[in-house]
Amino acid sequence: PPPPPPPPSFFSTQTPPYEIPLRLVGSEMCIRDSMYIIAGSTGTLGSAIAEELAKNHDIFLIGRDESKLKEQADKYNCKYEVIDLTNTPEPREFSKIIDQEVEITGLVNCIGSILIKPLHGTSLDEFNDVITTNLFSSYFLLASFARRMKNGSAVFFSSVAGSKGLSNHEAISAAKSGIEGFARSAAATYAKDNLRVNVIAPSIMDSNMSQKILSTETAREVSKNMHPIAKIGDSSDIIPVIKWLLSPEAKWVTGQTIHVDGGLSTVKPR
């Protein structure tokens, strides 16, 4: 019989020790000896990463939209978990969503947001939401799974605003630069376990998050022409970098922020 539906507020109704339900989708689950976690898998980039990794690996999906997660899990015959970033259990309890016997080979966090507003016009709620969605999600996921990722690879997302001063980007800049510093420190902490921790910092991309910014052809042209290589980024620019960072080919790469931004962060063309 199908599992019972989760309680209306998933984490808030639970008291330690947490009993976190798992969703098994499909008639059976083929677990090999390793697992790739994709958080934020229902977004534009997360969906593309899930599609690519599912071709050759077992994947586990984490996100905030259960209906979309279930649709993806049906497609890939995999497990998923809903996360409420405003009401999380302790990381050591959340790690139990994946069977302890399963080796976690890779973690990719695509949970994120964009807020372009001047500092004086940004409310406390807006600022806290940006920090929670971007920086806290990265901390929480790595804190949950790092001790189970020996010889693994974790990849997080910053943005060009994490290293270059862009007007009206104060909140997102604080969150993204925080991710870069967090990743460097975590890379040092877990190097003894051969866990590699890296960051990809794109510029603006075609995605659900950027729809408002790129809503008109004029806005698209302005955004495109900001870049030395005049282009709006897309998933195809990121996927090869993700695959490389997760692979043994990047076995000596850790603590790095890799800019995939058409040169915006470092290049000033004529």
Side-chain angles (χ1 to χ4, degrees):
S9 180
F10 179 62
F11 290 123
S12 61
T13 61
Q14 309 221 18
T15 55
Y18 294 92
E19 295 182 0
I20 299 179
L22 298 180
R23 286 81 166 178
L24 180 59
V25 179
S27 58
E28 60 181 11
M29 179 69 185
C30 178
I31 296 289
R32 294 189 279 270
D33 60 352
S34 64
M35 179 76 67
Y36 287 81
I37 300 171
I38 306 160
S41 65
T42 61
T44 303
L45 181 58
S47 295
I49 293 170
E51 180 81 24
E52 186 65 31
L53 292 182
K55 293 176 183 177
N56 299 301
H57 305 285
D58 287 321
I59 62 174
F60 190 103
L61 308 177
I62 295 174
R64 295 173 288 177
D65 187 326
E66 182 159 16
S67 62
K68 291 182 179 179
L69 281 170
K70 187 178 186 308
E71 183 179 339
Q72 281 187 314
D74 284 333
K75 179 178 180 181
Y76 302 123
N77 192 30
C78 68
K79 293 180 181 180
Y80 71 93
E81 189 52 69
V82 179
I83 188 171
D84 177 2
L85 291 171
T86 65
N87 191 15
T88 58
E90 286 296 320
R92 65 180 176 274
E93 297 299 331
F94 190 74
S95 71
K96 296 175 184 177
I97 65 173
I98 296 178
D99 294 339
Q100 296 298 309
E101 298 78 19
V102 176
E103 176 188 352
I104 301 172
T105 304
L107 165 66
V108 182
N109 183 25
C110 301
I111 297 173
S113 64
I114 297 175
L115 179 68
I116 300 179
K117 251 186 176 183
L119 188 63
H120 61 269
T122 302
S123 70
L124 286 176
D125 285 344
E126 287 174 324
F127 182 82
N128 287 330
D129 182 65
V130 168
I131 296 298
T132 298
T133 302
N134 294 274
L135 180 56
F136 175 75
S137 70
S138 298
Y139 147 76
F140 181 74
L141 290 165
L142 192 59
S144 297
F145 300 112
R147 298 304 301 273
R148 296 179 56 188
M149 292 184 65
K150 289 186 178 181
N151 303 307
S153 174
V155 182
F156 300 94
F157 282 93
S158 177
S159 92
V160 66
S163 59
K164 183 170 184 172
L166 300 173
S167 61
N168 301 325
H169 283 65
E170 289 86 353
I172 197 67
S173 176
K176 295 301 192 181
S177 58
I179 290 172
E180 293 182 18
F182 150 81
R184 284 190 295 270
S185 184
T189 299
Y190 298 106
K192 65 182 183 299
D193 296 327
N194 204 33
L195 167 57
R196 297 175 287 111
V197 184
N198 293 289
V199 176
I200 297 174
S203 186
I204 192 165
M205 297 175 57
D206 260 324
S207 69
N208 295 336
M209 285 189 289
S210 64
Q211 281 181 346
K212 290 183 180 179
I213 302 169
L214 303 176
S215 59
T216 67
E217 195 56 40
T218 300
R220 291 185 67 87
E221 283 299 308
V222 170
S223 295
K224 184 171 71 173
N225 291 326
M226 287 172 54
H227 301 83
I229 296 179
K231 177 185 180 303
I232 303 295
D234 58 49
S235 299
S236 68
D237 299 308
I238 304 299
I239 293 291
V241 186
I242 284 282
K243 291 175 67 177
W244 178 66
L245 287 173
L246 292 176
S247 77
E249 294 176 0
K251 61 183 177 295
W252 212 34
V253 179
T254 195
Q256 303 302 308
T257 297
I258 299 174
H259 292 269
V260 185
D261 60 13
L264 181 60
S265 59
T266 55
V267 175
K268 184 178 181 180
R270 290 184 177 182

